DNA sequence: CTGAAAGCGCTAACAT
DNA sequence: ATGTTAGCGCTTTCAG
């Protein structure tokens, strides 16, 4: 490993000058600086971030802790975060917490141990993790899911989107909707359920038909099976995310039920494949990429600007995109 | 920030003892050790990895550098890597290089600067990055794409899979296939093209009809449009990944062409949505998760075992899954 | 079994 | 403008 002192010797100067020249923020004689850069290049010098970080007591690294890497929504968010981070000189690494408080804790520990410059996280349910970050003085912004903590956050209007989707189903003429949503521990899952119930309430429908499952394909499959095996099965479904939807589709196919003909279907998240399903799926679309850029923007401000500024909560709207799966055959 | 010396004071001992007690690898008096642990807990001590890493000159961190986070294949790989890494005490963070040599270079720099314990990477095209890692003494294993470098790698048999897919198309009775693949710079893209051409050769078909595009939805769309606008358009398509496939589907839908009826279609990668498309898509399936676990296993061995052991190249087989999109209507 | 002290590579006072 | 040096928090000899 070639280090500063080696470069200094090669360039015939001191480590301090080399450090200054290479970080080209201090005034150092242009000719000398050039000699230093040449020496560094010749020796193939690479700064040791570990040492630098220890000395500076700060890094240029963000951790983006998401709850499930296999959900397309989060990968779009990640893109947004990344693009913005890059512009401001931060590197961002992704951590997959997998809807698991334990794994999430591991990554939070990693963030404080590595002295991350900031963290963007879609928290599962354990708010103590967020507090740990705050205690360690690491700026945090929540994404996708808010918490009661006084922290910056960027979320989509899950409740409103769910309500709109359900109302659409009802307007189409479907009469016995059901809601398949994520685990009680995930804020988005309950918000979407609440929005669904808001719509039922407005329509004076008493029967709720709500089922909570993990946000997985398997969860969607078993939820659908359970619902359809009831005495009075639902005639339509509001599904709270794309993974669940895949499971719903699977179970429907198994039973020979066709969305839009035999059963109404609206889903949260506009997955890229939604338009090509048979029939095309009606969805509630979230501005995932923009959520990422906004969260990153908030983090940048929090880091450089006012550490003590009041927390900001950004809530972005959702769009209902009607395709065929939600259309009632009688109309 | 509470540090070792604080814990030492609280426990009435020295930093050395605290360090030993907390890393519980040295022989230290059980009673004292207990007192130290209590003090650490009371003060909420968290080790500073930056300092530890600087001293140890090593970390427990892996970087997984993938070429596109939005491709489901890579997210499955990531799961596999992660699960295995965890078992061996490593934390893994994901880096999205986005099929961009520049971004890839940034993350490679990050790996050496942060002294990563190991790197798993699906290289784009620039083998100098790999060399940089090797020069820095960081164990590397390639995934998805091999290179000529003497490094461990885990890949799928892209060429064989592509050949099988194309032969299947031909056996079905399609006569004028075309191939939509990724950029020339991606090894998988050319391997799949080669497999496609192998099949044509065996069938004595001279017209190649190959188009290279970025591995994106937009790439698939424009490729399809270009192909269909030719004088003698193809009657069937072999598509080299899932993102491209989405674009193909889009363009086909726009033109009112139905796969399996108007045009044959087989794709690489068994995306979770493939069975639910109208009609269900025939695919070549790669064992993504297993590729991840195998790569991680290789890395563990490389780190702990023989640094100088000869490189191992693992090639996993692929499966052709026939659904409806590839079936010829005349049969 | 425990403590004192050196030093990982770098940056930032401080001195010149 | 440049050099000298202390020290970031930790681990690990080396003494005791």
């Amino acid at each position: 490993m070639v280090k500063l002192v080696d470069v200094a010797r090669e360039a015939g100067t001191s480590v301090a000058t080399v450090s200054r020249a290479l970080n080209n923020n201090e005034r150092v004689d242009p000719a000398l600086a050039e000699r230093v850069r040449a020496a560094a290049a010749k020796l193939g010098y690479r700064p040791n971030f570990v040492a630098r970080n220890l000395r500076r007591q700060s890094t240029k690294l963000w951790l983006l802790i998401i709850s499930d890497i296999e959900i397309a929504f989060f990968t779009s968010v990640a893109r947004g975060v990344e693009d913005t981070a890059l512009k401001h000189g931060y590197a961002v690494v992704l951590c997959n917490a997998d809807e698991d408080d334990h794994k999430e804790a591991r990554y939070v520990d990693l963030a404080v141990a590595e002295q991350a410059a900031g963290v963007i996280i879609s928290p599962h349910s354990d708010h103590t993790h967020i507090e740990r970050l705050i205690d360690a003085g690491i700026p945090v912004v929540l994404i996708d899911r808010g918490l009661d903590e006084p922290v910056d956050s960027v979320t989509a209007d899950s409740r409103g989107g769910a309500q709109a989707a359900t109302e659409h189903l009802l307007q189409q003429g479907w009469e016995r909707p059901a809601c398949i949503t994520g685990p009680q521990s995930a804020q988005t899952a309950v918000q979407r359920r609440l929005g669904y119930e808001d719509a039922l309430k407005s329509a004076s429908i008493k029967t709720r038909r709500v089922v909570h499952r993990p946000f997985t394909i398997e969860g969607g499959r078993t939820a659908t099976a359970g619902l359809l095996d009831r005495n009075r099965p639902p005639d339509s479904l509001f599904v709270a995310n794309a993974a669940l939807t895949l499971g719903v589709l699977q179970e429907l196919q198994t039973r020979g039920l066709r969305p839009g003909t035999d059963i109404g279907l609206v889903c949260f998240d506009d997955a890229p494949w939604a338009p090509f399903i048979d029939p095309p799926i009606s969805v509630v679309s979230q501005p995932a990429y923009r959520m990422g850029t906004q969260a990153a923007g908030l983090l940048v401000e929090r880091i450089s600007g006012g550490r003590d500024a009041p927390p900001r909560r950004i809530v972005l709207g959702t769009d209902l995109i009607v395709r065929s799966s939600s259309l009632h055959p009688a109309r």
Side-chain angles (χ1 to χ4, degrees), chain A:
Chain A
M1 157 172 275
V2 27
K3 46 185 119 160
L4 272 191
V5 59
D6 302 317
V7 180
R9 193 175 304 121
E10 176 76 23
T13 179
S14 73
V15 286
T17 302
V18 174
S19 173
R20 284 191 278 251
L22 261 25
N23 291 298
N24 55 282
N25 42 358
E26 301 275 344
R27 41 193 176 285
V28 34
D29 185 74
L32 215 198
E34 189 42 53
R35 224 165 67 229
V36 168
R37 270 189 291 274
K42 178 180 171 194
L43 300 180
Y45 170 77
R46 301 271 154 196
N48 179 332
F49 282 14
V50 182
R52 168 182 294 177
N53 295 341
L54 178 60
R55 175 62 229 234
R56 285 195 183 158
Q57 297 288 69
S58 74
T59 66
K60 287 298 245 178
L61 188 69
W62 286 1
L63 260 72
L64 171 55
I65 305 175
I66 59 180
S67 44
D68 187 349
I69 198 200
E70 294 200 356
I71 295 180
F73 165 74
F74 284 115
T75 62
S76 295
V77 167
R79 270 259 163 71
V81 170
E82 233 174 4
D83 290 350
T84 308
L86 215 67
K87 284 187 195 130
H88 294 270
Y90 293 97
V92 14
V93 295
L94 241 78
C95 307
N96 179 24
D98 229 353
E99 302 281 15
D100 176 338
D101 279 326
H102 205 74
K103 284 193 186 178
E104 188 174 297
R106 264 184 71 95
Y107 286 119
V108 166
D109 285 344
L110 186 68
V112 346
E114 296 281 6
Q115 320 233 88
V119 169
I120 296 179
I121 180 173
S122 64
H124 180 65
S125 62
D126 193 338
H127 60 277
T128 64
H129 298 169
I130 308 314
E131 279 158 14
R132 178 126 39 94
L133 255 10
I134 295 171
D135 288 349
I138 298 178
V140 190
V141 0
L142 309 181
I143 196 158
D144 185 45
R145 307 166 183 185
L147 283 176
D148 296 328
E149 313 297 308
V151 223
D152 293 327
S153 67
V154 178
T155 54
D157 179 17
S158 276
R159 187 163 183 168
Q163 181 175 2
T166 311
E167 280 168 355
H168 162 67
L169 237 28
L170 265 16
Q171 278 161 15
Q172 276 298 307
W174 300 101
E175 295 172 345
R176 297 189 314 280
C179 167
I180 297 177
T181 188
Q184 302 263 15
S185 52
Q187 195 211 33
T188 42
V190 347
Q191 287 299 313
R192 289 168 200 175
R193 172 218 175 119
L194 256 23
Y196 163 80
E197 292 179 341
D198 289 343
L200 295 206
K201 204 164 299 166
S202 303
S204 310
I205 298 178
K206 306 137 310 302
T207 324
R208 291 296 189 254
R209 294 190 188 83
V210 172
V211 9
H212 288 275
R213 281 285 188 288
F215 272 134
T216 60
I217 296 182
E218 186 56 15
R221 205 187 57 68
T222 60
T224 308
L227 246 13
L228 295 179
D229 284 340
R230 292 190 182 180
N231 283 339
R232 277 177 58 87
D235 68 351
S236 53
L237 263 21
F238 163 66
V239 186
N241 95 339
L244 287 171
T245 301
L246 252 9
V248 170
L249 255 17
Q250 191 176 316
E251 186 62 23
L252 256 25
Q253 192 173 77
T254 304
R255 298 185 181 225
L257 259 27
R258 193 179 146 81
T261 305
D262 306 311
I263 189 165
L265 185 64
V266 203
C267 306
F268 224 91
D269 279 356
D270 191 19
W273 41 262
F276 309 112
I277 298 296
D278 175 26
I281 309 292
S282 299
V283 300
V284 177
S285 165
Q286 303 188 73
Y289 181 87
R290 203 151 50 86
M291 287 172 72
T293 59
Q294 300 244 22
L298 248 34
L299 190 52
V300 168
E301 287 182 22
R302 181 63 60 184
I303 292 172
S304 45
R307 218 85 168 183
D308 310 305
R312 289 196 286 168
R313 300 180 185 209
I314 296 180
V315 180
L316 299 180
T318 59
D319 296 315
L320 177 65
I321 301 176
V322 176
R323 293 198 265 250
S324 314
S325 69
S326 57
L327 273 25
H328 195 287
R331 306 183 46 149

